[in-house]
Amino acid sequence: MTKILTYTTADAALRLALYRFIVTHGHIPKLRELAAALSRPQGKIRAGVRRLAQLHILVLQRQSSEILRAAPFWAVPTAFRVQSGKRAWWASCIWDALAIPAMLRRDARISTACPCCDSPMELSVRNGGLLQAPGVIHFAVPASRWYENVVFT
Amino acid sequence: MLLFRSEEHVARWCRVWKISRGAVFSLPQGLGLAKAWYGDRLSPNWHPFSPPQAQAVLNRAGLRSKFWRLEAAAQ
């Protein structure tokens, strides 16, 4: 029988600390980096991060158990770069790229390319709205299958 | 969830990669959905959506067809 996890205050505290790190530093930290930043043993951080993954709040790398996705942020380079002020982050898709300025409530520039013709596409979000809105968003995967393969989705 | 120059480019890409055309919508719609889904993610009071809550966000964005039913999705 699968044990159902409940989102606890400890989960919430670690999640918030992780997100604040990402916003401040412009990248998803390695576990050792997060442990050092929070002055906590790496084993505790690893266990806490694993719980957040079991709660579907994070996605971990299969081999290393490092954090791959803390939505809407992505740990490794992708086709979606989001710049806000002096910081920049990777996002896994256009929805997550738009989510970064939405979440930060800051202006941002999103750089990507059309997957069909490879031509660069630049978006600017200012004061909560889009300055230009070239192009259309395509969702290939139905909502019921989003979490089957989050990398493809 | 990719950004294309036009619906014609979506159709061409789907044909080349043999991927079924999914749902297409505008960037302003996408930004609205991003705000609804992620807007409070930095709040200390944020809590994971339950499946009905997540479905309600999609419904409020006008995404009500079968394509947008979460049903068996994890979150």
Side-chain angles (χ1 to χ4, degrees), chain A residues 9-19 34 38 40 45 48-49 52:
Chain A
T9 52
D11 296 325
L14 178 59
R15 187 200 71 83
L16 191 60
L18 169 64
Y19 274 76
L34 185 59
L38 301 181
R40 293 181 62 190
I45 294 297
V49 161
L52 292 177

Side-chain angles (χ1 to χ4, degrees), chain B residues 29-43:
Chain B
Q29 280 180 298
L31 181 59
L33 184 58
K35 287 179 180 176
W37 197 273
Y38 286 108
D40 64 347
R41 197 64 66 116
L42 289 178
S43 165

